[in-house]
Structures are given as structure tokens and as C-alpha cells.
């Protein structure tokens, strides 16, 4: 049976931060030695998100089925055509007069990327080690660490990462990277920060033709395309670009699922009232237009709240992350996404993406919330049942969706991975709740019963996978010192130079009444705007009538999350 493929679109710089971690996590779970699968069959069908191809030389490649969008000067040392196919990227200049060539100084790769190049040299007999820039070989190793316990090399990249390609270990197809030619990254004089500017990109015939060609390229090679993942920066003009692409997908691929993840950094870069108003208006317009053309829309950020003032970052148990570093916050969202999307990426006994999106968007509820427990709070030597029972009314996960905390959901989909079967149960339980767990013989039984106990009135589905998420190089070092090498809580501190390699994780995708808070708070904030005073949005194509209609749509969407007795 062929895989049911998914095409991923990453639309925006922060979305590419999240996506880079996501691809790295997936590649870290590849198993190349068939002997390692003996007794431990493969759990994830990587052909759902990855594609097999060949270079001009005939070498087999395995790259994400991906199109990512970003601005000029946002790639760092990454070539926009990738590194696998030796695509000629220089443009021909048809000019009969004198030509003065200005060559920008090339950027140097950090030590982590240099080591990836060196590994490639060792694997590829056709590449000579002299092909690696000598300047790159000399790079500083001040952030290179050798684990004294396990002997593994890891890096502290916190002060090194500037753009997402600085920690990218996955190779991309030449058609994957799409750079908007008329906009510069971090351009303070003319920022890409108005929703309509993103829509205008698709009005450029040349650029839109190229976008359409790339979508056709990846879709036509699929045997059974089941849908699209759309990671989008909802706070910037990339939301406008995403809305236009989603509108096209809803027309040309109407039978395919479109699952959108609206991403916002944990800390705002607002320096002025104008920048803040742009971020809020972009978020409202993205929610209105992108949710309209999505089957499901999931807002994600580690900020507890957004809009007029960005709330404090989520305090996550057992993590010590720096919210100001996109490299950190995006890793947590990526690990959560990687786990939450596993039900339709499983090798066996999975479900279709469309089954999930159609179930969650019932009654007009197109917006859902994601919760995550990274790591799952399992103490070394303890039992999983004991751990869940000790939580009592406290849920094991934290909300990854701003303005949304916890409430009893109408529908939830729980995914757990890395919970050892040997740690299921102990015979020390007392009370009525414990009776339900006494006959559990599998992790599936435990999670299913737990969900039914915590959410008795909810329609619940649960999925369990054997393997933990691998958070080794280049995942950031954000785990509390009491988290050991395998991701379990211990009383002793982890050695200072020792990293965490794997962690158990549990996620819960929910449609619940608290989503009302996200939509209503945004609508309430934007309704106070006098759109006539925001000429930059008017000039970019936003009509006053469209603004009024958007407010009406957001009000209607929010009402879908009110209990019947509240209406």
C-alpha cells in the first residue's frame, strides 16, 4: 500500500525556525540499519512527509516534500537551491556596457554546520576534503562539548544561531526554498509587516507562476496526496501570503485536507505602537482568511497571551528555555507538532488526516488548541499509573495556544510516546479511581482510561507509540538538570556536560470552550481600531467594508465555542 503523502508549506521566518526543528527531529528517527528493526518494527511512515529522488549523478536522496517561503538575506549560509543537486544559481546578465561586479563577503558556517559538511565528505567518495573552505575548517569550537559520560559531541548554539539554517541538518530539494525577491529580511525602513503586502506577492504573475509550478511539481509526483500542512507566521505579512495560497489550495485541491498551524514567537519585537497595531491586525486578518480556507486552524505560541500586551511566556515544568531565543521556543513547538501529527503518519493502524480535521471542525469550530507535556513527568523507577494518579485534577500538559488554558473539551486526541511498558503499573493504588487501572496490560489501556476519567463527557481518541522523541544534536539544551539522559525525572543532577538524548512526551489536540477566549479577545481588541487611521493597510488593499466583515466573522466564529446555555 502506498503512503498517503502530505505536502508541507512553511510561510514565514519563525515558521521556518519551527519547521527546521521538525525536520531535524524526523531525520533523527530514521533507522538505516535493518538489524535495529528486528524486534522493534518501524513505527513512523516517513514517506508521508519525505520524498525519494535522485541527483544528476544518480545518487538516491531523501528530502522533505516541502516548499518554504522567506525573505532575501534570511538564509544565512544555506544555498537557496540546496546542496544536493549542484544547481547553477548564477543569473546571466545581458548587458553590452561595462560591468562592475560587487561580491558580498561570504558568511562562515558555524562549527556544527562544518562538522555536517565533514561527515558528508566522509560518506561521499566523489567529494574531496579540500572542497571544504579552509576558513570553515578553522571555525571556533568554543561551543563544542564532549559528553564525559556518554562520549557524544554536542553544541551550545544559543549564541550562534541567527537564522533557522544555522542548525539545519536536513537536505532540501532545489524547489523547496522560495525567496520573495522584493522584500528584505530585517529591513527596518520597509518591513514586511502588512497583511496585504503578502497578498500582493501572489498578484505578481512571475512569482505566482513559480509558486504554482512548485505546488504542481510536488503534488503530481504523489501517489495518494492526502493533504497539506501549512505553518504560517500569522503576525506578519506572511499571513497574507498564506491566505492567498490557502485560497488557491481550497479551489484546486478541494478534496485534500488543509491543516494550518498559526505561529507567533514567544516574545514580541514591538518597538512602537505602529508595530504593535500591525501585529494585532495581521493576526486578526490571518485568523479570518486563513481559517476560512483551512479545514483546521491551530494557533501556537509560548506567549500566554497576545494582542495589546504580550503576556509572559509559559512556565513549562522541567524546562529552562529562553523565550527571547526563537531557537529555543520553536524547538518546543516543533516537538509538540511532531508528536501531535503522528496518528496519520504511523506505519500501521493510523488514521487519515481528513478524519481528524473533519471531526474537529464540526459545528463551525475550525479553531483548535494544542497542549503538550515535554517531557512527560515520569520519575525514574516510578509507574505511569502512579504518575497520572498523583496529578489528581492537574492535567499533565501545558497549553501551546495563547489565551487558552484548560477546560473540559468536546473532542480531544491524545498522543503519547516513549512511555515504557515495563513502567505501567504498581500494586500500591488505593481508592475507586485505581480500580480502573488494575487490569491494564498496555500503555494504550492506561492512556485510554485516563482520558475517559479526566474528560468523562468528551469524545476521546488516544494513540501510543513506543519510541521517545530524540532531542539530541542540534536540539537546544533546555531540560532541567533533574532530567536524565533518557528524559526521566531523577533526584540526582545530570552531569553538567551531559546532554539529554530522548524524552517521553504527551500531547492533546482539543476542541474546547476555552478557544472562545482566543477568538473573542482578538476580536474585542481589533474592534477598537479605527481602520481609516491605518493607511498602510488601506494602501495594501484592505477595504473598510472588508474590515467590518472580518469583525463580524470573528464574532460568529467565537460564538461556535459558547455552550448552548450561554447563548
Amino acid at each position: 500500500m502506498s503512503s498517503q503523502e502530505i505536502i508541507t508549506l512553511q510561510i514565514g521566518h519563525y515558521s521556518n525556525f519551527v519547521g527546521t526543528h521538525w525536520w531535524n527531529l524526523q531525520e533523527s528517527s530514521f533507522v538505516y540499519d535493518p538489524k535495529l528493526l528486528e524486534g522493534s518494527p518501524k513505527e513512523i511512515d516517513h514517506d508521508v512527509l519525505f520524498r525519494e529522488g535522485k541527483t544528476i549523478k544518480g545518487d538516491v536522496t531523501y528530502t522533505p516534500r516541502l516548499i518554504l517561503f522567506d525573505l532575501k538575506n534570511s538564509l544565512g549560509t544555506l544555498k537557496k537551491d540546496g546542496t544536493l543537486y549542484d544547481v547553477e544559481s548564477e543569473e546571466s546578465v545581458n548587458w553590452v556596457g561595462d560591468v562592475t561586479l560587487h561580491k558580498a563577503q561570504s558568511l562562515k558556517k558555524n562549527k556544527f554546520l562544518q562538522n555536517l559538511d565533514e561527515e558528508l565528505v566522509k560518506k561521499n567518495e566523489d567529494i574531496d576534503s579540500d572542497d571544504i573552505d579552509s576558513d570553515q575548517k578553522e571555525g571556533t569550537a568554543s561551543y563544542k562539548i564532549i559528553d564525559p559520560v556518554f562520549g557524544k559531541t554536542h553544541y551550545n548554539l544559543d549564541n550562534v544561531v541567527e537564522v533557522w539554517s544555522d542548525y539545519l541538518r536536513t537536505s532540501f530539494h532545489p524547489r523547496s526554498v522560495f525567496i520573495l525577491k522584493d522584500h528584505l529580511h530585517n529591513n527596518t525602513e520597509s518591513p514586511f509587516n502588512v497583511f496585504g503586502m503578502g497578498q500582493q506577492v501572489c498578484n505578481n504573475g512571475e512569482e505566482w507562476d513559480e509558486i504554482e509550478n512548485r505546488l504542481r511539481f510536488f503534488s503530481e509526483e504523489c501517489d495518494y496526496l492526502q493533504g497539506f500542512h501549512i505553518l504560517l507566521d500569522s503576525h506578519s505579512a506572511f499571513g497574507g501570503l498564506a491566505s492567498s495560497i490557502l485560497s488557491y489550495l481550497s479551489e484546486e485541491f478541494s478534496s485534500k485536507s488543509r491543516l494550518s498551524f498559526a505561529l507567533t514567537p514567544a516574545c514580541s519585537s514591538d518597538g512602537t505602537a505602529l508595530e504593535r497595531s500591525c501585529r494585532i491586525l495581521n493576526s486578526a486578518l490571518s485568523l479570518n482568511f486563513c481559517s476560512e480556507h483551512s479545514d483546521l486552524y491551530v494557533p501556537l505560541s509560548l506567549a500566554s497571551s497576545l494582542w495589546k500586551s504580550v503576556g509572559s511566556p509559559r512556565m513549562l515544568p522541567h524546562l529552562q528555555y529562553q523565550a527571547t531565543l526563537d531557537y529555543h521556543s520553536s524547538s518546543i513547538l516543533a516537538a509538540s507538532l511532531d508528536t501531535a501529527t503522528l496518528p496519520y503518519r504511523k506505519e500501521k493502524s493510523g488514521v487519515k488526516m481528513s478524519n481528524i480535521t473533519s471531526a474537529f471542525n464540526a459545528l463551525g469550530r475550525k479553531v483548535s488548541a494544542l497542549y503538550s507535556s515535554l517531557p512527560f513527568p515520569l520519575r525514574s523507577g516510578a509507574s505511569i499509573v502512579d504518575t497520572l494518579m498523583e496529578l489528581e485534577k492537574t492535567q499533565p500538559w501545558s497549553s501551546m495556544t495563547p489565551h487558552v488554558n484548560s477546560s473540559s473539551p468536546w473532542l480531544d486526541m491524545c498522543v503519547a510516546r516513549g512511555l515504557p511498558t515495563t513502567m505501567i503499573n504498581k500494586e500500591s493504588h488505593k481508592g475507586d479511581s485505581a480500580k480502573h487501572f488494575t487490569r491494564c496490560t498496555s500503555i494504550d489501556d492506561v492512556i485510554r482510561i485516563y482520558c475517559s476519567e479526566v474528560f468523562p463527557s468528551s469524545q476521546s481518541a488516544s494513540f501510543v507509540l513506543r519510541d521517545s522523541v530524540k532531542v539530541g544534536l542540534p536540539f537546544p539544551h533546555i531540560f532541567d538538570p533533574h532530567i536524565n539522559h533518557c528524559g526521566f525525572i531523577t533526584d540526582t543532577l545530570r552531569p553538567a556536560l551531559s546532554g539529554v538524548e530522548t524524552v517521553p512526551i504527551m500531547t492533546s489536540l482539543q476542541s474546547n470552550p476555552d478557544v472562545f477566549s482566543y477568538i473573542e479577545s482578538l476580536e474585542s481588541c481589533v474592534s477598537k481600531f479605527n481602520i481609516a487611521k491605518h493607511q498602510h493597510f488601506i494602501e495594501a488593499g484592505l477595504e473598510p467594508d472588508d474590515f467590518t466583515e472580518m469583525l463580524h466573522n470573528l464574532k460568529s466564529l467565537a460564538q461556535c465555542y459558547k455552550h448552548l446555555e450561554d447563548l
Side-chain angles (χ1 to χ4, degrees), residues 255-268:
S255 63
K256 311 302 179 184
S257 297
R258 298 172 301 280
L259 177 52
S260 296
F261 300 99
L263 301 162
T264 306
C267 291
S268 169

Side-chain angles (χ1 to χ4, degrees), residues 252-479:
E252 298 297 320
F253 299 90
S254 57
S255 63
K256 311 302 179 184
S257 297
R258 298 172 301 280
L259 177 52
S260 296
F261 300 99
L263 301 162
T264 306
C267 291
S268 169
S269 58
D270 298 344
T272 64
L274 177 61
E275 291 175 339
R276 181 172 64 251
S277 63
C278 286
R279 174 177 55 80
I280 296 170
L281 280 168
N282 288 329
S283 299
L285 290 164
S286 294
L287 174 58
N288 178 55
F289 288 102
C290 294
S291 66
E292 177 187 357
H293 297 296
S294 300
D295 292 296
L296 197 63
Y297 185 90
V298 185
L300 297 175
S301 177
L302 292 186
S304 56
S305 61
L306 298 171
W307 322 148
K308 189 174 182 179
S309 60
V310 175
S312 57
R314 298 278 186 185
M315 297 296 293
L316 304 177
H318 315 298
L319 293 185
Q320 297 179 349
Y321 74 99
Q322 298 181 47
T324 55
L325 296 181
D326 290 345
Y327 169 58
H328 278 201
S329 63
S330 61
S331 70
I332 299 169
L333 297 181
S336 302
L337 282 180
D338 185 48
T339 301
T341 58
L342 284 173
Y344 50 86
R345 294 165 46 214
K346 291 180 65 177
E347 182 75 16
K348 296 179 179 179
S349 303
V351 297
K352 291 183 178 180
M353 187 180 180
S354 59
N355 292 342
I356 295 172
T357 55
S358 61
F360 273 86
N361 67 21
L363 303 178
R365 296 169 183 154
K366 280 198 168 187
V367 182
S368 290
L370 182 63
Y371 299 77
S372 181
S373 178
L374 175 74
F376 179 80
L378 184 59
R379 185 169 290 276
S380 181
S383 106
I384 297 169
V385 172
D386 279 340
T387 300
L388 293 172
M389 290 186 63
E390 287 171 3
L391 292 170
E392 296 181 346
K393 295 183 179 180
T394 303
Q395 296 173 12
W397 41 65
S398 302
S399 176
M400 301 287 105
T401 300
H403 300 272
V404 176
N405 294 312
S406 60
S407 59
S408 181
W410 296 297
L411 183 68
D412 74 282
M413 183 180 73
C414 179
V415 183
R417 63 194 298 192
L419 302 180
T421 305
T422 56
M423 300 172 72
I424 289 179
N425 216 335
K426 282 188 175 181
E427 298 180 359
S428 59
H429 311 305
K430 296 180 181 179
D432 294 335
S433 298
K435 296 178 182 178
H436 299 288
F437 292 103
T438 54
R439 296 183 180 179
C440 291
T441 58
S442 67
I443 304 296
D444 301 76
D445 292 339
V446 173
I447 301 303
R448 176 176 49 80
I449 292 174
Y450 173 75
C451 290
S452 65
E453 288 283 313
V454 175
F455 306 130
S457 60
S458 170
Q459 294 183 14
S460 298
S462 59
F463 300 85
V464 174
L465 285 90
R466 176 191 67 241
D467 295 334
S468 302
V469 60
K470 295 185 178 180
V471 292
L473 185 69
F475 202 86
H477 304 287
I478 58 175
F479 296 96

Side-chain angles (χ1 to χ4, degrees), residues 125-358:
E125 296 179 352
D126 295 330
I127 301 178
D128 184 68
S129 59
D130 292 336
D131 291 340
I132 298 180
D133 194 319
S134 60
D135 288 337
Q136 292 180 17
K137 287 182 179 181
E138 296 172 2
T140 175
S142 60
Y143 50 90
K144 181 177 179 180
I145 304 167
I146 305 298
D147 188 327
V149 178
F150 298 96
K152 291 192 175 183
T153 301
H154 59 91
Y155 298 81
N156 183 350
L157 300 177
D158 293 356
N159 297 322
V160 176
V161 170
E162 296 182 0
V163 295
W164 48 268
S165 64
D166 287 335
Y167 58 94
L168 175 68
R169 64 181 298 171
T170 305
S171 297
F172 288 158
H173 187 274
R175 290 177 183 251
S176 282
V177 180
F178 189 99
I179 298 300
L180 307 189
K181 63 181 182 180
D182 295 329
H183 301 280
L184 287 172
H185 177 63
N186 284 340
N187 186 350
T188 56
E189 294 183 1
S190 181
F192 191 62
N193 66 344
V194 175
F195 189 85
M197 294 172 67
Q199 292 178 311
Q200 289 170 358
V201 171
C202 296
N203 294 332
N204 181 309
E206 182 180 344
E207 284 195 288
W208 176 248
D209 286 345
E210 180 59 29
I211 293 172
E212 197 173 9
N213 287 337
R214 295 189 186 208
L215 285 167
R216 271 203 212 97
F217 171 80
F218 285 108
S219 62
E220 289 177 355
E221 67 176 10
C222 295
D223 293 323
Y224 185 86
L225 176 64
Q226 63 171 315
F228 298 84
H229 283 150
I230 300 95
L231 281 63
L232 64 106
D233 285 12
S234 58
H235 60 288
S236 72
F238 281 109
L241 175 59
S243 73
S244 296
I245 294 176
L246 276 163
S247 177
Y248 170 80
L249 295 179
S250 66
E251 293 179 1
E252 298 297 320
F253 299 90
S254 57
S255 63
K256 311 302 179 184
S257 297
R258 298 172 301 280
L259 177 52
S260 296
F261 300 99
L263 301 162
T264 306
C267 291
S268 169
S269 58
D270 298 344
T272 64
L274 177 61
E275 291 175 339
R276 181 172 64 251
S277 63
C278 286
R279 174 177 55 80
I280 296 170
L281 280 168
N282 288 329
S283 299
L285 290 164
S286 294
L287 174 58
N288 178 55
F289 288 102
C290 294
S291 66
E292 177 187 357
H293 297 296
S294 300
D295 292 296
L296 197 63
Y297 185 90
V298 185
L300 297 175
S301 177
L302 292 186
S304 56
S305 61
L306 298 171
W307 322 148
K308 189 174 182 179
S309 60
V310 175
S312 57
R314 298 278 186 185
M315 297 296 293
L316 304 177
H318 315 298
L319 293 185
Q320 297 179 349
Y321 74 99
Q322 298 181 47
T324 55
L325 296 181
D326 290 345
Y327 169 58
H328 278 201
S329 63
S330 61
S331 70
I332 299 169
L333 297 181
S336 302
L337 282 180
D338 185 48
T339 301
T341 58
L342 284 173
Y344 50 86
R345 294 165 46 214
K346 291 180 65 177
E347 182 75 16
K348 296 179 179 179
S349 303
V351 297
K352 291 183 178 180
M353 187 180 180
S354 59
N355 292 342
I356 295 172
T357 55
S358 61

